């Protein structure tokens, strides 16, 4: 009998990979006065919610079930968004681990009533964890990059993951040392 499990995790079945295009989405939304902040531009939190919604849909499609936001990296606001802008939120899986995946999101804006090209107004990288009905992490299919751009995104995502994990280890170690010295409650 052939063992069709993941070598590092005996007994865990191999899940067939899915191409990047299988779960890529585009979400569009017209910004209204209801979305504005005190400066009269669209509130960053409104844009962040659309980013999280799009990324969550991609993560759920890719993992074929529920996935929860684990982290948001590098949310960058490049241009203000105005009332009447049509926001176009594009998202795709860049990288997958055993139970987690990074979703890259690009936010474009164009005037709702004008022909012309859209400009990029924001971008973000989010990490999602696939969960089962009990809220426990579950395995996700590997992502299969299809283009050179997809392969570049996957490599960049691995760099971001390495930095995220190193930062987490450094913070845990600092807190451990400070607690041992009686410096923190």
């Amino acid at each position: 009998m052939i063992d069709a499990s993941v070598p590092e995790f005996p007994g865990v079945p191999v899940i067939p990979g899915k191409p990047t295009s299988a779960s890529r989405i585009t979400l569009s939304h017209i910004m209204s006065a209801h979305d504005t902040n005190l400066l009269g531009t669209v509130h960053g939190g409104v844009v962040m919610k659309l980013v999280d919604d799009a990324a969550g849909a991609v993560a759920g499609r890719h993992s074929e079930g529920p996935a929860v936001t684990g982290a948001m990296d590098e949310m960058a606001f490049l241009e203000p968004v105005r009332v009447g802008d049509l926001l176009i939120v594009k998202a795709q899986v860049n990288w997958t681990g055993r139970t987690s995946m990074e979703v890259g999101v690009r936010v474009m804006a164009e005037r709702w009533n004008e022909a012309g090209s859209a400009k990029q107004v924001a971008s973000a990288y989010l990490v999602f964890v696939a969960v089962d009905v009990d809220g426990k992490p579950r395995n996700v299919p590997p992502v299969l990059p299809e283009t050179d751009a997809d392969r570049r995104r996957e490599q960049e995502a691995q760099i971001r993951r390495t930095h995220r994990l190193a930062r987490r280890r450094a913070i845990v170690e600092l807190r451990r040392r400070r607690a041992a010295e009686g410096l923190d409650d």
Side-chain angles (χ1 to χ4, degrees):
M1 182 171 154
I2 297 174
D3 181 12
S5 63
V6 179
E8 304 87 44
F9 304 99
V12 175
V14 173
I15 301 173
K18 294 174 78 174
T20 308
S21 61
S23 55
R24 185 180 293 141
I25 70 155
T26 300
L27 178 146
S28 299
H29 189 79
I30 295 177
M31 298 290 98
S32 69
H34 177 72
D35 300 315
T36 60
N37 59 26
L38 296 174
L39 299 174
T41 56
V42 172
H43 195 287
V46 171
V47 176
M48 289 174 77
K49 173 143 181 14
L50 292 172
V51 164
D52 193 44
D53 287 347
V58 166
R61 280 184 176 186
H62 183 82
S63 68
E64 299 177 0
V68 295
T69 310
M72 178 183 271
D73 286 352
E74 301 179 34
M75 180 72 195
F77 295 97
L78 308 171
E79 298 276 340
V81 177
R82 302 173 293 156
V83 170
D85 280 352
L86 173 63
L87 279 193
I88 301 126
V89 183
K90 297 181 178 198
Q92 74 171 51
V93 173
N94 291 335
W95 170 89
T96 54
R98 190 170 53 85
T99 61
S100 63
M101 60 208 113
E102 182 194 270
V103 178
V105 182
R106 176 176 292 171
V107 183
M108 309 293 288
E110 61 185 49
R111 295 305 292 168
W112 69 274
N113 61 345
E114 298 174 10
S117 60
K119 63 181 175 184
Q120 185 174 353
V121 295
S123 65
Y125 300 101
L126 296 89
V127 177
F128 278 79
V129 177
V131 294
D132 64 17
V133 295
D134 297 319
K136 303 291 184 209
R138 61 182 175 78
N139 291 339
V140 299
V143 67
L144 305 174
E146 299 172 279
T147 67
D148 286 340
D150 291 342
R151 284 183 277 284
R152 175 188 52 79
R153 288 183 187 108
E154 183 180 46
Q155 290 171 337
E156 291 172 357
Q158 289 173 351
I159 292 168
R160 283 186 293 274
R161 179 177 185 271
T162 299
H163 287 240
R164 201 169 30 253
L165 293 174
R167 184 176 59 238
R168 183 183 310 155
R169 281 191 301 272
I171 290 169
V172 167
E173 177 57 24
L174 174 64
R175 289 179 179 174
R176 186 198 61 74
R177 281 196 322 262
R178 290 184 58 84
E181 295 170 5
L183 297 174
D184 289 333
D185 294 335

